[in-house]
Amino acid sequence: MPNQNQIANPQTGQLPQVKGPQMNDRDYLNDCLATCKYLTDNFNIAVREASHQQLYDDMLQILNETHQSARDAFNLMFQKGWYKLEAAEQQQLQQAYQQFSGYSTQFPYH
């Protein structure tokens, strides 16, 4: 029985029933998405700490392009049914909202 809280598209394309050592399309896209996530994490730090304006501008452009590549990989994986999300219960959303809305009083400008 499928999980009622799961958000996913049906899988498209032919994936092998038994996974061998060779990579398939889903493996390549998963690797691409993981690499983009790793790069954006590290480019965020590099951009934030860049002391030279031209270096900052160039790395910011690369960061934005890498974020877009990650988004494109995610969208393609989700479209093909290879990326699943878990829907949150309304109670979980309300608890998170209450928890973090209290933090706004700690911001210098509110």
Side-chain angles (χ1 to χ4, degrees), residues 8-57:
N9 289 314
Q11 286 195 19
T12 60
Q14 296 296 320
L15 292 175
Q17 294 295 328
V18 177
K19 178 76 172 85
Q22 64 276 16
M23 291 179 69
N24 58 35
D25 290 344
R26 181 176 60 185
D27 295 331
Y28 284 115
L29 269 174
N30 194 46
D31 186 55
C32 176
L33 181 57
T35 300
C36 285
K37 288 178 179 181
Y38 172 80
L39 288 171
T40 56
D41 287 347
N42 288 290
F43 270 117
N44 275 323
I45 295 167
V47 167
R48 187 173 52 244
E49 296 180 359
S51 60
H52 187 273
Q53 186 62 44
Q54 186 61 48
L55 178 62
Y56 170 86
D57 293 340

Side-chain angles (χ1 to χ4, degrees), residues 4 17 22 37 47 74 78 85 93 96 103:
Q4 298 299 327
Q17 294 295 328
Q22 64 276 16
K37 288 178 179 181
V47 167
F74 164 79
F78 188 76
L85 303 172
L93 293 174
Y103 293 165

